[in-house]
Amino acid sequence: MSFDIYTLIFLVLAVVIFFKLRSVLGQRTGTERPSFDPFSRRNKNAEKPDDGKAIDAQPVGGAGQDGGNVVSLPRPEGAPAAVAADERIAAVATAGSPAAIGLGAILLADRNFDPGQFLDGARTAYELIVTAFARGDRKALKPLLGREVFDGFSNAIQQREQNGETVEFNFVGIEKAEIVDAAMKGSTAQVTVRFGSKLVSATRDKAGEVVEGDPVLVADVTDVWTFARDASSRDPNWALVATETVE
């Protein structure tokens, strides 16, 4: 009987100690680190960003996009922010290359800049611009181009109109788009993109004769375009400021 009584006493003590420990360890004291929730962190930082800007990816240009066509980005805190910036750059440029160094400088000036989303926007802008130029649509071109580039495009359109020429155009697609250079010039961010595209284009004169291009040939075209925006401005749109066609 003595063995059974002691066993029972120890069992009772063990149960009491277990529930005491559970009541202490199971409580929050208010000093614990919160569990990581990327969505709540993103929303919290989006409400009160340090620079007063909404945390948005910047689209290239404005035509064909509505005012809400932006993507909220999470803004990591402290050291992880640097890691996130490196990862964004590495996704589009080789480490140590002029493009990567330039993108790093742009990110220092504007931490909301996302190179990958910029490149997606540049692809969209490229198609919009070449299509609008073929149509002679100055209204669509104007918000997408810097002043000098717009003047050059507008003059070319005017020359076609004066000559009575028309353009047959079919945009097949972009095979490749890559950032080849980037830099901060004062407060202006500049990013240069090389596009490899396929398109069908032919210019006909008043008589309907083809004077340039080919109405059935799918041509491979390589263009090097530079986009720019004022990194200190709240305007998220980029403008095409320089063009070069590689033969």
Side-chain angles (χ1 to χ4, degrees):
M1 292 295 296
S2 62
F3 175 77
D4 291 338
I5 291 173
Y6 284 124
T7 300
L8 180 61
I9 291 173
F10 281 123
L11 286 173
V12 171
L13 288 174
V15 171
V16 171
I17 292 171
F18 171 77
F19 280 104
K20 283 287 186 181
L21 286 172
R22 184 178 180 183
S23 66
V24 173
L25 295 176
Q27 293 178 349
R28 288 188 176 273
T29 64
T31 61
E32 297 88 351
R33 293 175 60 86
S35 58
F36 178 72
D37 185 343
F39 295 102
S40 62
R41 175 172 292 189
R42 177 191 65 192
N43 294 336
K44 178 180 178 181
N45 285 315
E47 291 172 1
K48 295 182 179 181
D50 295 338
D51 57 5
K53 297 180 181 178
I55 307 175
D56 297 326
Q58 289 119 5
V60 177
Q65 301 177 15
D66 56 64
N69 189 22
V70 290
V71 180
S72 296
L73 302 174
R75 180 179 296 176
E77 300 173 354
V83 175
D86 290 341
E87 290 176 350
R88 290 188 225 170
I89 294 172
V92 298
T94 303
S97 67
I101 294 170
L103 291 172
I106 294 174
L107 277 165
L108 286 176
D110 181 4
R111 61 179 177 174
N112 298 325
F113 173 68
D114 185 276
Q117 292 189 4
F118 165 85
L119 195 55
D120 289 340
R123 293 170 68 98
T124 300
Y126 179 84
E127 181 176 356
L128 288 171
I129 291 169
V130 296
T131 302
F133 177 67
R135 291 198 312 261
D137 190 345
R138 295 179 178 84
K139 185 176 180 180
L141 287 171
K142 193 167 186 178
L144 298 170
L145 310 181
R147 181 179 298 176
E148 291 184 4
V149 175
F150 176 76
D151 289 344
F153 279 36
S154 182
N155 290 338
I157 293 171
Q158 183 178 11
Q159 189 64 49
R160 289 202 314 246
E161 292 170 343
Q162 290 175 350
N163 294 339
E165 296 173 341
T166 57
V167 177
E168 295 178 7
F169 181 82
N170 181 28
F171 185 84
V172 179
I174 297 174
E175 288 198 320
K176 187 175 184 179
E178 59 179 340
I179 295 175
V180 295
D181 199 9
M184 283 296 301
K185 296 187 176 181
S187 65
T188 300
Q190 291 191 353
V191 182
T192 301
V193 182
R194 180 188 288 117
F195 297 96
S197 65
K198 287 185 175 293
L199 52 85
V200 179
S201 179
T203 303
R204 295 183 182 273
D205 61 16
K206 292 180 180 180
E209 297 296 326
V210 175
V211 294
E212 185 178 355
D214 191 310
V216 295
L217 176 67
V218 178
D220 293 310
V221 178
T222 300
D223 288 305
V224 179
W225 286 9
T226 299
F227 299 90
R229 71 174 291 269
D230 185 349
S232 65
S233 171
R234 289 182 178 273
D235 183 357
N237 294 325
W238 294 71
L240 176 63
V241 297
T243 65
E244 177 186 358
T245 299
V246 180
E247 299 296 339

